[in-house]
Amino acid sequence: TVQTLATYIGGGITNADQWRLTTSFTGDALTGITSNWEQNDTAGFGALGSSMAESSGIFTFPSTGYWYIGWYPNFNLDGDNRYAEHNIQYTADDSSYASVTERSTSITQSESATTYQDGSNTFLFDITDVSNQKLRFRVDVSNTSTTTMGHGDKNSTYVTFMRLADT
């Protein structure tokens, strides 16, 4: 049966959550985006299971398991930007963070106006210690006038968390 199969493969997706940046900022966030995060609260959104916890841009998992993380920053600039690097950073000791993803996008101004570009990063984590294994999200831009876009009513720069199975 489906229930037996789901139990056999680790219980299936038991958590799904989404967080977004509510306010835009300009320049880098080299040690992570530390403020203006909120859980998605747009009409129609539905979280599954326990939610992630966030404090000063540090995200804590509600339970162990295999987790899929999708990080989707959105940028704009009235000019050119050679790179807008965006990383998922991870710690196993609740202290030392390292980038586990590294993706970049660029902006070449179009039509002499503000130009927009988005990015994406994904990673699969095996979380076995919710007290010490945590995440944060980093931005490094070549043109410090580049804006990472936030919005309080819809997803612009956001993160999706899904627990896929037991560890």
Side-chain angles (χ1 to χ4, degrees):
T1 68
V2 173
Q3 178 63 31
T4 304
L5 180 59
T7 302
Y8 177 73
I9 61 172
I13 296 174
T14 57
N15 298 77
D17 198 7
Q18 207 168 59
W19 288 70
R20 64 175 165 228
L21 189 63
T22 60
T23 305
S24 300
F25 69 89
T26 301
D28 297 319
L30 299 178
T31 58
I33 301 170
T34 60
S35 61
N36 300 313
W37 288 102
E38 75 170 3
Q39 185 180 36
N40 186 339
D41 60 0
T42 303
F45 171 73
L48 175 64
S50 298
S51 297
M52 297 291 292
E54 181 271 334
S55 177
S56 300
I58 305 298
F59 287 85
T60 302
F61 294 89
S63 61
T64 60
Y66 290 100
W67 286 81
Y68 167 88
I69 310 304
W71 160 226
Y72 307 100
N74 197 4
F75 305 100
N76 74 42
L77 177 66
D78 187 2
D80 294 333
N81 183 26
R82 204 166 40 88
Y83 65 84
E85 182 180 299
H86 40 94
N87 313 86
I88 298 173
Q89 294 192 314
Y90 166 79
T91 181
D93 64 6
D94 192 23
S95 178
S96 302
Y97 283 83
S99 293
V100 294
T101 65
E102 180 176 288
R103 299 283 313 268
S104 293
T105 190
S106 63
I107 296 174
T108 302
Q109 190 174 37
S110 177
E111 301 175 10
S112 301
T114 299
T115 304
Y116 299 83
Q117 185 61 274
D118 63 356
S120 65
N121 262 311
T122 62
F123 199 84
L124 294 172
F125 289 93
D126 180 7
I127 302 300
T128 58
D129 180 356
V130 296
S131 295
N132 289 302
Q133 292 177 282
K134 299 180 182 187
L135 302 178
R136 68 184 185 192
F137 301 91
R138 177 183 183 270
V139 171
D140 179 11
V141 295
S142 65
N143 183 331
T144 57
S145 295
T146 301
T147 296
T148 301
M149 298 170 55
H151 201 291
D153 295 332
K154 57 189 168 196
N155 290 354
S156 185
T157 294
Y158 65 99
V159 184
T160 299
F161 302 90
M162 278 192 288
R163 185 182 180 280
L164 303 175
D166 295 338
T167 187

